[in-house]
Amino acid sequence: MKRYIEKLRRASWSYKQPLTHPPRVLGAPVSDLFLWRNSDAWKTFFELTDLSALFAGPDNPGRTVTLIFFDAAGRSFKEKIVEIQPVCRQTLSLSEIIGSAHGSVGTFSIFHAHTPKVLRALGSNLAERGYVSYRFRGARLRAYVHGNLDAIARLPDKSLQLLGGQSIMRREYNLQHALAPLSNYELFIVNPTPKRQRIVCQTLSINDKKIDAQVADLLPRGTHLFNVVPAQANQRVVISSHLIMARPLVFQIQDQRMDVFHG
Amino acid sequence: MSFYPILSAPGCAGQTTLYNFPPNNWENRRMKTKLVNLTWAQHGLWRSVILDELVYGEIRAYTHSDISAHVPENILPLLSLSSMPFPELSETLPASVQSTNTPNWRATLSLVSPFTSTSYQGELDPFPAPGSLLTFAPFIQFGSEIENYMLLLNLEKNPQTRISTVEIYNSAKTDLVLGSFEVISNSISSVRLDGLGLGPEDLPVVICKGMSGIPLFFSKTTNGAHLSLEHTHPPASYVIHGNRWEAQRILKNHWFTKLGQP
């Protein structure tokens, strides 16, 4: 009986609430909604690889990807087609592509034009969840972070379909990270759903007492920066929203150094 | 619950921070004190001791100095949280039940230099043996006084030590292996990536036909002032929906057949 009740309870959190919905069109390319940062202090890079050539070999040169950039409010402001070289590494300097007229943060997606036949036959979509790197204050080393979510698809008519699922009940994402004093944290949440999302970012003390709460409304494809400066060791962050998994991208900044990771 | 290794890497010390609270409010609601187990493989057996206890909500960081009284040097220390103690000696890895999925219950796995630190939120579950590995790794950074490493993290149920070979190729010149390196089961094996002849436009492909693992890519300035750490995706992550594992099998077959052939 106990087990049955627990199953029912879990079902209320999971029934018809997938993390990602499938694209409406089989074979449509899928991408994460990656975060770009562009300012005097921050530069963003992406490691581009011809994913389809990894499956099929470099038999069809001249393939392309389409980069689509969104501002923090989720508005598309730039589209760029890049020719990809098979089986090589192309490090794209996104800050140079974006320019300075669209704010200092936003999201972007990368759609591969070619999906190998073998993947279509498996009922699968090619997904770009690749690697972004950030350079902070001209440091010699960039810090890498991988893509995290299959967030958005580009359909054959070039329209975009957001794939993120939505929870019926508000749910909490407890960031399993002890905030370090003397560090400044910048937490970014992106909205991969087709609806506006209200996000609450709470900072809790070691005794789980609320220290601070920040609220943001995220438009689809948009992002928001929550700035958290812990005063004491072992403070933590809880993010509540209707997102299935409000996993933040976390920048930990201390003096001239930074680290980036998925929370 | 998964295992949480204390990492090690050239020029850096490992630190692993455990959390006795779940990553969400709906999958696991038990608010109980948990034991911190320390587990390691030695002389063909898994050995475990209770290292600590965390009350619900508690956070604590562990370094090699916290476990050096138990675990010999160069052996991978594995932390875990459980309600019951693990057997002191075991021929198979003690069961570690995954208690959340969205996301997995994680720890902060850090590498710390005298100046800074880098981390990722991670966990480690046993890989099937023998297993295999294929990954593409565009992480090498270039410039003077920059060092690049792959840290292959492996865990298997069997405590017996196995040795396998990692091979690194330029994915555009598949006939020539650029480096072969021995890797060991139930450990973290460090491979230096500099000096293999890979340039900024080369896409390194890393294979291991006899062992699986999590390939971590670690870069540092020689003085340790700046660090970067991230893992690559398994090949199944290149696709979504449909038969992803078949896609991974196809990709592995394609590259395992192709690499090293004239």
Side-chain angles (χ1 to χ4, degrees):
Chain A
M1 186 66 179
K2 242 184 178 180
R3 192 175 281 183
Y4 178 72
I5 292 169
E6 176 60 15
K7 263 192 171 175
L8 267 182
R9 189 191 70 76
R10 286 252 193 155
S12 69
W13 290 96
S14 56
Y15 181 65
K16 291 198 171 178
Q17 298 165 74
L19 180 62
T20 56
H21 294 281
R24 285 194 292 272
V25 177
L26 181 67
V30 169
S31 172
D32 199 338
L33 270 172
F34 302 100
L35 181 86
W36 61 261
R37 307 192 69 172
N38 190 25
S39 65
D40 288 345
W42 294 97
K43 303 294 175 209
T44 306
F45 302 83
F46 185 83
E47 299 295 346
L48 183 62
T49 299
D50 184 351
L51 299 183
S52 62
L54 300 182
F55 284 89
D59 55 346
N60 182 17
R63 284 196 280 255
T64 60
V65 293
T66 302
L67 284 76
I68 304 182
F69 295 92
F70 310 97
D71 63 16
R75 292 175 297 234
S76 163
F77 66 83
K78 186 168 236 169
E79 212 171 294
K80 184 177 173 69
I81 294 173
V82 174
E83 192 165 313
I84 35 177
Q85 308 303 316
V87 288
C88 81
R89 172 185 179 183
Q90 288 170 263
T91 306
L92 303 179
S93 172
L94 300 185
S95 296
E96 287 176 18
I97 297 171
I98 291 165
S100 57
H102 306 283
S104 58
V105 299
T107 62
F108 69 98
S109 291
I110 296 183
F111 300 104
H112 291 254
H114 178 75
T115 300
K117 276 183 193 162
V118 64
L119 294 186
R120 287 175 189 265
L122 294 173
S124 299
N125 301 69
L126 200 61
E128 180 57 88
R129 299 173 68 184
Y131 310 110
V132 184
S133 62
Y134 301 92
R135 189 187 297 283
F136 181 59
R137 297 200 188 287
R140 280 186 296 165
L141 211 61
R142 288 175 277 134
Y144 277 89
V145 68
H146 62 67
N148 184 36
L149 189 63
D150 301 302
I152 185 168
R154 193 175 199 230
L155 306 183
D157 64 359
K158 298 190 178 173
S159 63
L160 298 173
Q161 179 193 354
L162 282 159
L163 304 176
Q166 180 165 316
S167 173
I168 296 165
M169 293 178 277
R170 280 188 83 78
R171 52 181 84 192
E172 292 181 353
Y173 187 99
N174 300 322
L175 179 63
Q176 291 181 310
H177 186 83
L179 301 177
L182 306 177
S183 288
N184 177 25
Y185 286 85
E186 295 181 346
L187 285 77
F188 287 87
I189 297 281
V190 302
N191 180 2
T193 75
K195 292 187 178 165
R196 177 191 287 256
Q197 298 291 339
R198 172 152 290 193
I199 313 288
V200 179
C201 176
Q202 291 187 78
T203 310
L204 303 184
S205 73
I206 190 169
N207 302 319
D208 274 2
K209 291 205 173 113
K210 188 165 83 178
I211 295 170
D212 180 43
Q214 302 173 54
V215 182
D217 286 319
L218 260 67
L219 291 167
R221 308 183 302 216
T223 186
H224 184 81
L225 183 164
F226 294 100
N227 201 352
V228 178
V229 184
Q232 290 179 328
N234 286 351
Q235 291 183 355
R236 66 187 185 94
V237 161
V238 176
I239 295 165
S240 76
S241 72
H242 282 282
L243 298 177
I244 301 295
M245 195 163 67
R247 189 179 185 190
L249 184 63
V250 181
F251 291 83
Q252 180 183 358
I253 300 155
Q254 193 172 10
D255 300 327
Q256 299 297 307
R257 303 186 178 96
M258 72 92 179
D259 189 29
V260 59
F261 56 90
H262 280 293
Chain B
M1 197 74 64
S2 301
F3 289 91
Y4 307 103
I6 301 179
L7 303 178
S8 55
C12 284
Q15 177 178 292
T16 295
T17 308
L18 300 185
Y19 306 93
N20 187 13
F21 57 82
N24 61 45
N25 65 335
W26 59 274
E27 281 189 283
N28 181 328
R29 301 194 303 172
R30 277 167 290 193
M31 300 165 76
K32 288 187 175 169
T33 295
K34 286 202 167 120
L35 303 173
V36 177
N37 301 289
L38 169 64
T39 301
W40 70 100
Q42 191 180 7
H43 304 317
L45 289 170
W46 286 110
R47 288 155 197 274
S48 296
V49 295
I50 297 169
L51 187 67
D52 203 353
E53 212 174 86
L54 294 185
V55 298
Y56 182 79
E58 203 169 2
I59 299 171
R60 196 163 297 160
Y62 300 89
T63 65
H64 284 275
S65 66
D66 296 311
I67 54 94
S68 58
H70 302 284
V71 183
E73 264 186 61
N74 302 321
I75 288 185
L76 181 68
L78 300 161
L79 303 174
S80 60
L81 294 170
S82 72
S83 306
M84 301 291 287
F86 287 172
E88 282 180 28
L89 294 174
S90 170
E91 288 181 353
T92 186
L93 188 67
S96 62
V97 180
Q98 182 67 47
S99 59
T100 66
N101 291 303
T102 314
N104 292 341
W105 192 305
R106 295 199 159 109
T108 304
L109 310 184
S110 307
L111 290 170
V112 182
S113 80
F115 301 99
T116 189
S117 65
T118 183
S119 67
Y120 76 101
Q121 301 295 101
E123 76 285 348
L124 184 61
D125 293 300
F127 289 94
S132 64
L133 170 77
L134 166 74
T135 199
F136 299 89
F139 286 133
I140 298 177
Q141 301 197 53
F142 297 88
S144 63
E145 300 188 346
I146 290 177
E147 301 169 17
N148 298 278
Y149 301 87
M150 181 182 75
L151 311 172
L152 185 68
L153 194 52
N154 170 273
L155 178 64
E156 295 174 355
K157 286 184 178 170
N158 191 331
Q160 303 286 345
T161 298
R162 290 196 308 123
I163 293 174
S164 194
T165 304
V166 155
E167 294 177 352
I168 301 176
Y169 294 82
N170 176 346
S171 57
K173 295 173 186 166
T174 53
D175 56 331
L176 184 67
V177 62
L178 301 177
S180 296
F181 305 91
E182 203 172 79
V183 290
I184 301 170
S185 62
N186 302 320
S187 70
I188 184 164
S189 304
S190 175
V191 172
R192 181 85 188 250
L193 299 174
D194 306 295
L196 296 178
L198 289 159
E201 294 179 359
D202 296 330
L203 177 65
V205 51
V206 179
I207 63 165
C208 184
K209 291 181 179 174
M211 195 177 290
S212 195
I214 299 176
L216 302 171
F217 290 85
F218 170 59
S219 299
K220 64 188 278 277
T221 52
T222 302
N223 63 2
H226 297 279
L227 310 174
S228 174
L229 178 70
E230 185 55 294
H231 61 85
T232 49
H233 291 302
S237 294
Y238 294 141
V239 301
I240 179 175
H241 303 299
N243 192 343
R244 300 175 70 207
W245 299 109
E246 179 61 11
Q248 173 159 296
R249 194 190 64 78
I250 289 168
L251 198 62
K252 277 188 170 178
N253 280 349
H254 175 68
W255 284 91
F256 285 177
T257 307
K258 187 173 170 178
L259 292 170
Q261 299 303 312

